[in-house]
Amino acid sequence: MAIDSSPSSSSSSSDDDLLRSLLRLARDVPQYPQPKALPRGSLASLARRCKLLSALFDELLNGADRYLPRGASLCLREIQLVLQRFKALLADCSARSRMRLLLQSDTVSSEFHELNLELATLLDILPMSELEISDDVRDLVDLARRQSRRSQQSVNPNEEDLKSDVLKLIQQIEREIVPERSNLESIFHRLGLDDSISCRDEMECLEREIGDRVAQKWTPAMIALVGLVRYAKCVLFGASTPRPDLSAGKFSFSEQSELNIPQDFRCPISLELMTDPVVVSSGQTYDRVSISRWFGSAHATCPKTGQVLTNLELIPNKSLKNLIARWCRENNVPFEVSEPAKIESSSVSANKAALEAARMTATFLVEKLVGSPSVETTNRVVHEIRQLAKLGSDNRVFLAEAGAIPLLVPLFYSTDSNLQLNSVTAVLNLSILEANKRRIMHTEGASSALIHAMAEGVTWRVKENAAASVLSLCSVNSYRRRLGRKQQLVERLVELACNGPDSTKRDALAAVLCLAGERENIARLVDAGVAKMAVEMLDSEEVSETAAAIVAAVSKRGGAEAVSAVPAAITKLVSLMRSGTERARESAAAALVLLCRRIGGSMVQKVAATPGVEWVIWELMGMGTDRARRKAASLGRICRKWAVASALAAGETGHTAALSAVSMAEPVVVASVGSGL
């Protein structure tokens, strides 16, 4: 029987796909730009070899017999892998930051050389005699083989010199020596970073690579280089023009466009995106770093509610962390950050260089702000300060020590909307640091400037960030009292809470709640109309929790009469107990208990007369949080005592009075009482 030795159609199709892929790769590889870490001739020689090989692939693909012998097919598949690795290496180099590529220049050159040797070996063993190709193509392949074999590993001497100069510059900054402008300019020109935009892109790329941990050996140096590039950008190219979308918000996770971060993803203390959310015993969620610092400052209360905590245990909020991580992925925001301890153990000196670069940048910007000749220039410098102040506590320290705060406060009165916004937001960012709160409060005219920004801010965002600044300062008890003594400040906050957009209302209400934590502030809050405002806000789903907490705080510290005088206050609180969030129900129940205790029988009568209140109390006692159950039980006892006292006063006796009294707090027991049990 004759054996059919003709190639199958499937084999022919597979060989066609292989040859098309090889031809495409041979044409694509030379299109990549020359990575600066490679010697100049490296990519050019690779491009020439690919051009020579493309003649082979093209002739095989278009030949009369496109069936490849098995040995040749296997060898060409290996060549395909090598060309794919060449392409991947070039693509990776193109995507790397300029600094990282420089630091890894010897590694890149080594990888390139190894691929050349692999290609030479494959061309050596390629069975040319089995391929039906012309003599001209055979000569071209032979030339490509000889060129690959002659390839030697070499490092661009200019790149090595540049790498050495950059590392020397880091060491110089580490020793607190300010670099000479001419030297800095020369190095950055050789790096190809010739304007503020290229510097900004380089910083973003470096920060992304640090977050992705792509080069842990060089991570400390890369961290230092971020600070160096930021300093050089300011010194060499001046403060850059703010991006339009950066003028819209106050915080962002990185120096990208500021995104509209969901309010629930921000830490109530730092106002920044939480990376490790934890729950305290009051039920509120904070970022672990922020709440740990709060506890470390001898506080044992919940910063948001003022409630004394039963314990200082921190419980990870894993569900919220997953939501934040998903949001970050969807918005291209880095979420997993490098652990500082690991970086410090790798290279303390690199960290010191990064700190010194940040200090030099802060000092330079403040000095530029002093001598700024125009509103436009001032706005650019203040914007740079604003950006620097949101990047970490160290930067906030350096800016404040350089004297930024007294220079920023007068700019609150600017009629230029961008300058006013940038100055207010810069102070807000600086106020996150505890030591800077004192500096702000001791800056002449700071309180008046905040009042002006809240009252006369050119945009709502200015007013909102001014209110957020007040909230930040109010985290210190003594400052809470000092600010609360300023009637205009209190009035502006209440006004913003009444009339502002949702985001402004949230910050204003949070600041009002913080002020309400001090008894001496209540009278001024009441005079400003806080009771009416808070009761009206109970209907808003977005701010009902804070509004209910304000009603409870005001009622507790002397404002119960003002709350009771607001029409429908009791009805709204009972309604919130029925259908609000867990925190809102807690605060509503607490507010009703406080109103009943502070005002007495007339208030209890109003509460008891509210339709359905007994069922709301019973439901909250059975299904609410621990605090809600306690408050509901207290409210039930108050109502029961009032019912009994009212029955006795009216001359009611016996079974009917008992039923009336008990039903006010414990409807579930009525059946038992009626049965004589």
Side-chain angles (χ1 to χ4, degrees):
M1 178 182 295
I3 299 176
D4 184 7
S5 60
S6 64
S8 67
S9 60
S10 60
S11 298
S12 177
S13 175
S14 176
D15 289 341
D16 283 352
D17 292 340
L18 170 62
L19 292 171
R20 288 193 186 94
S21 175
L22 284 166
L23 184 59
R24 185 168 54 251
L25 285 168
R27 291 172 176 173
D28 287 348
V29 168
Q31 301 302 316
Y32 279 91
Q34 165 81 25
K36 294 184 179 180
L38 292 175
R40 289 189 178 276
S42 297
L43 186 58
S45 61
L46 175 61
R48 288 194 298 271
R49 285 192 290 278
C50 286
K51 186 175 181 180
L52 296 173
L53 292 175
S54 65
L56 168 66
F57 307 143
D58 185 55
E59 181 159 323
L60 289 174
L61 184 61
N62 296 309
D65 183 6
R66 293 184 296 183
Y67 170 67
L68 297 175
R70 178 173 176 77
S73 178
L74 292 175
C75 191
L76 287 174
R77 291 187 185 281
E78 291 299 319
I79 292 175
Q80 179 190 31
L81 292 176
V82 171
L83 292 180
Q84 287 174 339
R85 289 164 61 191
F86 266 124
K87 184 177 179 179
L89 177 59
L90 292 169
D92 178 54
C93 289
S94 299
R96 294 186 194 186
S97 66
R98 181 69 186 88
M99 293 294 190
R100 177 185 160 209
L101 194 59
L102 180 68
L103 294 173
Q104 296 180 317
S105 58
D106 52 346
T107 303
V108 172
S109 180
S110 175
E111 291 177 9
F112 198 88
H113 176 64
E114 289 174 3
L115 287 175
N116 270 317
L117 292 181
E118 286 188 38
L119 180 60
T121 301
L122 290 170
L123 291 176
D124 279 339
I125 64 175
L126 179 66
M128 299 291 293
S129 59
E130 299 179 10
L131 299 176
E132 296 183 5
I133 54 177
S134 64
D135 291 340
D136 290 341
V137 172
R138 292 178 189 275
D139 291 341
L140 293 176
V141 174
D142 186 58
L143 177 60
R145 178 171 54 244
R146 292 197 305 271
Q147 288 180 351
S148 298
R149 183 59 62 190
R150 288 198 302 266
S151 175
Q152 296 181 352
Q153 181 174 357
S154 59
V155 178
N156 189 334
N158 293 331
E159 290 293 311
E160 283 298 293
D161 291 342
L162 180 55
K163 178 179 177 180
S164 175
D165 290 344
V166 168
L167 294 177
K168 287 178 182 177
L169 195 58
I170 293 177
Q171 295 172 356
Q172 181 181 351
I173 291 175
E174 178 193 350
R175 296 195 298 271
E176 304 180 21
I177 301 173
V178 179
E180 293 182 5
R181 182 187 176 95
S182 58
N183 185 36
L184 199 63
E185 191 170 13
S186 171
I187 290 175
F188 271 69
H189 177 72
R190 290 153 62 196
L191 283 165
L193 304 176
D194 297 320
D195 53 36
S196 61
I197 295 177
S198 61
C199 288
R200 184 186 64 203
D201 293 342
E202 178 72 8
M203 285 188 295
E204 290 178 354
C205 192
L206 274 169
E207 289 171 341
R208 184 168 58 252
E209 290 171 343
I210 292 168
D212 293 341
R213 302 182 182 184
V214 294
Q216 294 199 35
K217 172 185 175 182
W218 293 106
T219 293
M222 291 164 68
I223 292 173
L225 287 170
V226 171
L228 172 61
V229 176
R230 182 174 289 112
Y231 172 72
K233 178 175 79 75
C234 294
V235 172
L236 299 179
F237 312 116
S240 57
T241 303
R243 294 175 178 176
D245 55 346
L246 284 179
S247 298
K250 47 191 170 189
F251 287 100
S252 69
F253 191 72
S254 69
E255 203 168 41
Q256 328 173 5
S257 300
E258 290 193 20
L259 298 170
N260 184 21
I261 300 174
Q263 191 70 19
D264 291 341
F265 293 175
R266 295 181 186 273
C267 174
I269 297 175
S270 68
L271 304 180
E272 293 180 323
L273 185 71
M274 290 186 282
T275 57
D276 188 9
V278 293
V279 181
V280 298
S281 59
S282 66
Q284 298 293 333
T285 298
Y286 302 93
D287 198 38
R288 183 182 294 275
V289 173
S290 298
I291 193 64
S292 297
R293 288 175 180 168
W294 173 265
F295 291 157
S297 302
H299 294 99
T301 57
C302 174
K304 189 172 182 181
T305 65
Q307 178 183 348
V308 177
L309 301 175
T310 56
N311 61 72
L312 303 184
E313 182 181 0
L314 301 177
I315 302 174
N317 192 335
K318 295 183 179 179
S319 59
L320 180 58
K321 185 172 184 178
N322 291 335
L323 289 174
I324 294 174
R326 183 192 306 168
W327 180 88
C328 288
R329 287 194 299 271
E330 292 173 352
N331 291 276
N332 296 318
V333 175
F335 179 66
E336 295 294 339
V337 295
S338 301
E339 298 179 23
K342 291 184 179 179
I343 296 174
E344 289 174 9
S345 63
S346 300
S347 176
V348 176
S349 63
N351 282 333
K352 187 175 189 306
L355 290 176
E356 290 304 323
R359 188 193 303 276
M360 291 176 186
T361 305
T363 302
F364 176 82
L365 288 172
V366 172
E367 290 175 352
K368 292 289 289 184
L369 185 57
V370 173
S372 182
S374 65
V375 171
E376 181 182 359
T377 304
T378 301
N379 182 45
R380 291 183 179 183
V381 174
V382 173
H383 177 265
E384 291 287 351
I385 291 175
R386 167 189 172 180
Q387 295 298 100
L388 188 62
K390 74 181 179 184
L391 295 177
S393 298
D394 293 322
N395 293 328
R396 297 173 189 130
V397 171
F398 300 149
L399 285 167
E401 289 178 345
I405 293 173
L407 298 174
L408 292 169
V409 166
L411 300 178
F412 286 21
Y413 296 92
S414 173
T415 55
D416 183 276
S417 60
N418 290 324
L419 179 55
Q420 189 182 47
L421 174 61
N422 284 324
S423 59
V424 171
T425 310
V427 170
L428 171 58
N429 293 355
L430 290 169
S431 73
I432 296 171
L433 188 69
E434 198 76 13
N436 285 349
K437 299 184 196 300
R438 178 176 56 80
R439 290 188 173 101
I440 295 170
M441 290 299 296
H442 285 79
T443 297
E444 184 178 356
S447 299
S448 299
L450 285 170
I451 294 170
H452 174 83
M454 287 190 290
E456 306 294 337
V458 180
T459 65
W460 278 111
R461 185 64 69 179
V462 171
K463 298 179 180 182
E464 175 184 332
N465 288 4
S469 299
V470 173
L471 171 62
S472 178
L473 296 171
C474 282
S475 64
V476 180
N477 291 341
S478 59
Y479 301 155
R480 189 184 306 166
R481 290 190 290 270
R482 285 177 56 184
L483 292 169
R485 296 188 188 112
K486 298 183 179 296
Q487 186 65 36
Q488 283 186 316
L489 183 143
V490 173
E491 290 173 353
R492 295 292 80 76
L493 286 174
V494 173
E495 181 182 342
L496 291 178
C498 290
N499 304 320
D502 290 342
S503 59
T504 305
K505 283 181 180 179
R506 284 193 292 267
D507 284 335
L509 283 169
V512 168
L513 176 60
C514 204
L515 290 175
E518 294 293 332
R519 179 175 292 275
E520 70 175 72
N521 294 338
I522 297 300
R524 281 177 285 275
L525 285 168
V526 169
D527 290 342
V530 70
K532 183 175 182 296
M533 176 273 293
V535 170
E536 290 178 350
M537 293 295 104
L538 294 175
D539 294 329
S540 173
E541 292 185 5
E542 292 191 354
V543 296
S544 60
E545 289 186 9
T546 309
I550 291 173
V551 172
V554 171
S555 301
K556 180 179 181 179
R557 297 178 177 87
E561 293 288 349
V563 173
S564 65
V566 179
I570 305 305
T571 303
K572 289 187 176 184
L573 287 170
V574 172
S575 176
L576 196 60
M577 285 178 61
R578 179 186 298 112
S579 58
T581 63
E582 288 188 349
R583 299 292 172 263
R585 296 173 79 187
E586 286 180 9
S587 297
L592 287 172
V593 170
L594 290 164
L595 288 170
C596 290
R597 288 176 176 171
R598 297 295 188 271
I599 297 177
S602 61
M603 178 55 62
V604 181
Q605 183 178 8
K606 288 182 181 180
V607 174
T610 304
V613 66
E614 63 273 14
W615 291 103
V616 172
I617 293 173
W618 172 69
E619 182 181 18
L620 203 55
M621 288 175 62
M623 301 176 62
T625 62
D626 290 342
R627 181 171 180 248
R629 291 178 182 181
R630 293 196 303 271
K631 296 302 179 182
S634 298
L635 186 60
R637 286 193 295 270
I638 290 171
C639 290
R640 184 170 63 250
K641 290 179 182 178
W642 171 84
V644 171
S646 297
L648 293 175
E652 294 182 22
T653 57
H655 192 69
T656 302
L659 277 175
S660 176
V662 174
S663 66
M664 292 307 306
E666 300 173 278
V668 73
V669 187
V670 171
S672 299
V673 174
S675 302
L677 298 178

